[in-house]
Amino acid sequence: MNEQDKQYTNSCKDFRVRDDEDYGYYFYPERNGGTVSFSWWQKLFNRTVALKDIHRARCEENVEKLLEEEPAVKLMKSALEKNGCPVKLERHFSCEHCIRLMKGGFDPTTNQIVLCSNNNSPKQLQKTLLHELVHMFDHCRAHVDFSNLKHLACTEVRAANLTGCTMWDALERDMVGPFKFANQHKECVKSSAILSIRMVRNVSEEEAKQVVDEVFDQCYNDLEPLGSRLKSYKDNYRSFLRGKWMGYT
């Protein structure tokens, strides 16, 4: 364990409950003026700066393309604007080098979406962006307080329900069996929300499960602004068309 991990109150994500909170900023060292860690072979061949710049440039290019072309992303952007929260590429999206396998996050203190440039393929980036846009939308529309566990649980349920927990996601994480997905989608959403809460808050699994159960029904049934769960590109396009009927686009 390195010095950075020793200083972190929940290092290596062993999920032991502690008094101190870092709200997940550990995963985004550049958010707090920290330094990015690289492997020994990257340092050996002096590739650290080059890799970081290449990853960031690719990420920024892909984010710009998604904002301009991807139907569900365009709908989310329009819905934010209709709710009085217009978004700008340079202001509200930041591609950064992240720790471990983190894909991205929403930083409510700056109202920015963080995309982990070193951990997202172009396909993964689309899913990550949509997931975080749900959090941004909830922050705009419902004034979500991310320090409030119930608020956090609700937005995590919504993000997992709307943009995650497809059959392939669930199978990849061993959450459900291939023939039980229809009946276990809710359990997949719950499991994803519980894990997301525990990644950013120092709470026990029991406490996370309890708060998810308390808000689940209401938040699971709230499909705004997409109108449906995204399981394929066709669903993304249908959501965009539905957004016109709902006055979002």
Side-chain angles (χ1 to χ4, degrees), residues 127-186:
K127 294 186 64 175
T128 302
L129 180 57
L130 281 168
H131 182 102
E132 303 308 333
L133 280 167
V134 173
H135 293 322
M136 180 178 273
F137 179 80
D138 288 349
H139 186 247
C140 170
R141 179 189 66 157
H143 307 292
V144 167
D145 177 2
F146 283 81
S147 65
N148 182 308
L149 277 180
K150 285 188 177 181
H151 287 202
L152 176 62
C154 186
T155 191
E156 291 296 354
V157 165
R158 280 180 27 80
N161 182 34
L162 289 169
T163 69
C165 263
T166 64
M167 181 177 70
W168 299 115
D169 291 328
L171 289 174
E172 189 176 71
R173 289 177 283 180
D174 295 324
M175 287 183 176
V176 298
F179 303 107
K180 299 180 180 179
F181 179 74
N183 296 326
Q184 294 190 4
H185 180 259
K186 288 185 178 181

Side-chain angles (χ1 to χ4, degrees), residues 30-31 52 55-64 89 92-98 112-118 120 125:
E30 294 175 299
R31 295 268 101 185
K52 182 180 174 182
H55 289 158
R56 176 170 285 142
R58 287 176 178 171
C59 173
E60 291 174 348
E61 181 181 348
N62 287 328
V63 169
E64 184 175 9
L89 176 64
H92 296 103
F93 304 92
S94 179
C95 290
E96 300 177 12
H97 191 103
C98 304
Q112 278 188 324
I113 289 175
V114 182
L115 289 314
C116 297
S117 55
N118 56 317
N120 280 293
L125 186 67

Side-chain angles (χ1 to χ4, degrees), residues 13 17 29 31 70 72 81 85 90 107 117 162 167 175 183 189 211 241:
K13 284 300 166 191
V17 179
R31 295 268 101 185
E70 210 288 321
E81 292 173 352
C85 302
E90 299 82 3
D107 185 350
S117 55
L162 289 169
M167 181 177 70
M175 287 183 176
N183 296 326
V189 171
V211 72
L241 295 179

Side-chain angles (χ1 to χ4, degrees), residues 34-82:
T35 58
V36 176
S37 299
F38 291 91
S39 64
W40 65 268
W41 68 267
Q42 291 170 338
K43 294 177 182 178
L44 179 65
F45 291 100
N46 197 28
R47 298 186 62 197
T48 55
V49 175
L51 277 174
K52 182 180 174 182
D53 290 344
I54 290 171
H55 289 158
R56 176 170 285 142
R58 287 176 178 171
C59 173
E60 291 174 348
E61 181 181 348
N62 287 328
V63 169
E64 184 175 9
K65 184 176 181 180
L66 287 168
L67 288 170
E68 292 176 352
E69 300 179 6
E70 210 288 321
V73 172
K74 289 168 63 178
L75 169 58
M76 292 298 303
K77 182 181 176 184
S78 295
L80 281 160
E81 292 173 352
K82 291 288 185 180

